[in-house]
Amino acid sequence: RVTMWGDFNSTPAQSKEVANALGIGASGSDYEKAKAVYKWVTSHCTYGRYEQDGKRSYDTAWGARFYTATCNGISQLTYDMMLYAGVPCRIVHCNDHAWNIVKIEGTWYIVDCTFGLGKSGTPYFLIGSNNYSRWAERKSYLGGWIDVSPTNYH
């Protein structure tokens, strides 16, 4: 089962604090803002699980920013930062992974900051559905609800 959704597990105050800490504002093109978010998340976050006071912070943007997080928290942080920067974004979640899609110049593309963690360049930024195995494996679940570019951003 694949679902697309927006907010979960982070309070508005936590999301605002994360956004302010990143210093990503609403200026520049959507491409520039999305790339800044991707580069920040993939160079500052750590994949893992961290619990504090019995709370699963690893599933939250807050956890991704200040501790460690799984793909759920990393995709949530990416979502929060994209929206804060004014870039349309959604979270795509399936059985064992979560990632994002962002809208650049009227077209949706895949962004997977979890897979991009620690990698040089931007290998999982604005990729097309034909170049992302997770999408190919699960696209039938979406039933055409949203069209994602089959090719990478130019």
Side-chain angles (χ1 to χ4, degrees):
R1 181 168 179 241
V2 173
T3 55
M4 293 180 145
W5 27 282
D7 191 35
F8 73 107
N9 290 339
S10 292
T11 68
Q14 288 173 331
S15 295
K16 183 177 180 181
E17 185 172 339
V18 171
N20 290 336
L22 297 182
I24 297 172
S27 62
S29 70
D30 283 352
Y31 172 83
E32 291 167 337
K33 293 182 287 187
K35 188 172 182 181
V37 170
Y38 177 88
K39 289 186 105 21
W40 194 97
V41 171
T42 58
S43 64
H44 287 83
C45 292
T46 303
Y47 185 87
R49 295 176 184 267
Y50 176 85
E51 292 192 28
Q52 182 178 24
D53 302 324
K55 296 178 184 171
R56 294 175 23 173
S57 64
Y58 55 81
D59 278 341
T60 69
W62 179 259
R65 169 63 179 97
F66 296 104
Y67 305 106
T68 62
T70 62
C71 56
N72 290 329
I74 292 165
S75 63
Q76 178 65 45
L77 177 62
T78 303
Y79 171 84
D80 286 352
M81 297 304 94
M82 292 290 185
L83 291 188
Y84 179 77
V87 178
C89 184
R90 301 287 183 271
I91 296 171
V92 180
H93 186 267
C94 62
N95 297 335
D96 62 351
H97 191 54
W99 64 90
N100 302 90
I101 56 173
V102 299
K103 195 172 194 178
I104 304 293
E105 299 172 8
T107 302
W108 290 97
Y109 295 93
I110 296 165
V111 172
D112 192 332
C113 289
T114 303
F115 284 178
L117 290 177
K119 294 186 174 58
S120 62
T122 55
Y124 291 95
F125 176 68
L126 301 185
I127 55 177
S129 59
N130 288 346
N131 301 311
Y132 187 71
S133 63
R134 294 273 177 177
W135 189 268
E137 293 168 5
R138 282 132 173 125
K139 66 182 177 183
S140 63
Y141 292 108
L142 298 175
W145 183 76
I146 198 163
D147 289 326
V148 172
S149 174
T151 58
N152 294 2
Y153 182 81
H154 49 81

